[in-house]
Amino acid sequence: MTEPLVRPEVPPSGPGCAECTESGGWWLHLRRCATCGHIGCCDNSPSQHATKHANGSDHKIIRSYEPGEDWYYDYTTGDFLEGPPLAEPQSHPVDQSVPGPADRVPHDWQLRLNA
């Protein structure tokens, strides 16, 4: 039996990118795995942890973890999708800086983004 691609009952792993939080890194935008709730940083972020999570697992659908955004993306097809609301919270805290976390973002952060 295969695991469902979207599991609305699974909460997010935390308010920021799990790997960046652990390593002391920073991110631009956040993405949430729709299967397991893993929070990873976007492809413009220096470390691209959301895509690394998708590539290292069978979890190919993400949802934006940005306030006011509810789009899904399928890494397998490259399509944007619609889907159900996920377990709360729906995004990182509104008062969390973007990029973030504020105390780890370098002064030249724009030059460090992936195009």
Side-chain angles (χ1 to χ4, degrees):
M1 179 180 205
T2 61
E3 183 175 33
L5 296 176
V6 176
R7 296 183 58 213
E9 74 281 4
V10 177
S13 62
C17 175
E19 291 86 358
C20 288
T21 298
E22 186 176 307
S23 69
W26 62 277
W27 55 82
L28 179 60
H29 295 295
L30 298 170
R31 307 296 180 236
R32 176 179 177 173
C33 176
T35 305
C36 73
H38 174 271
I39 302 300
C41 52
C42 72
D43 284 351
N44 293 112
S45 298
S47 297
Q48 304 173 335
H49 287 122
T51 296
K52 288 177 182 174
H53 174 76
N55 289 339
S57 69
D58 288 330
H59 303 171
K60 302 302 183 191
I61 299 190
I62 58 167
R63 196 182 116 173
S64 175
Y65 199 54
E66 293 298 314
E69 296 182 0
D70 61 359
W71 54 264
Y72 284 80
Y73 179 78
D74 184 335
Y75 281 105
T76 304
T77 65
D79 293 329
F80 287 91
L81 311 169
E82 292 189 24
L86 299 178
E88 294 293 335
Q90 299 294 312
S91 70
H92 65 75
V94 175
D95 62 351
Q96 182 173 297
S97 70
V98 176
D103 62 335
R104 294 197 303 243
V105 177
H107 72 283
D108 62 347
W109 66 269
Q110 289 107 332
L111 299 175
R112 298 175 186 234
L113 296 176
N114 294 307

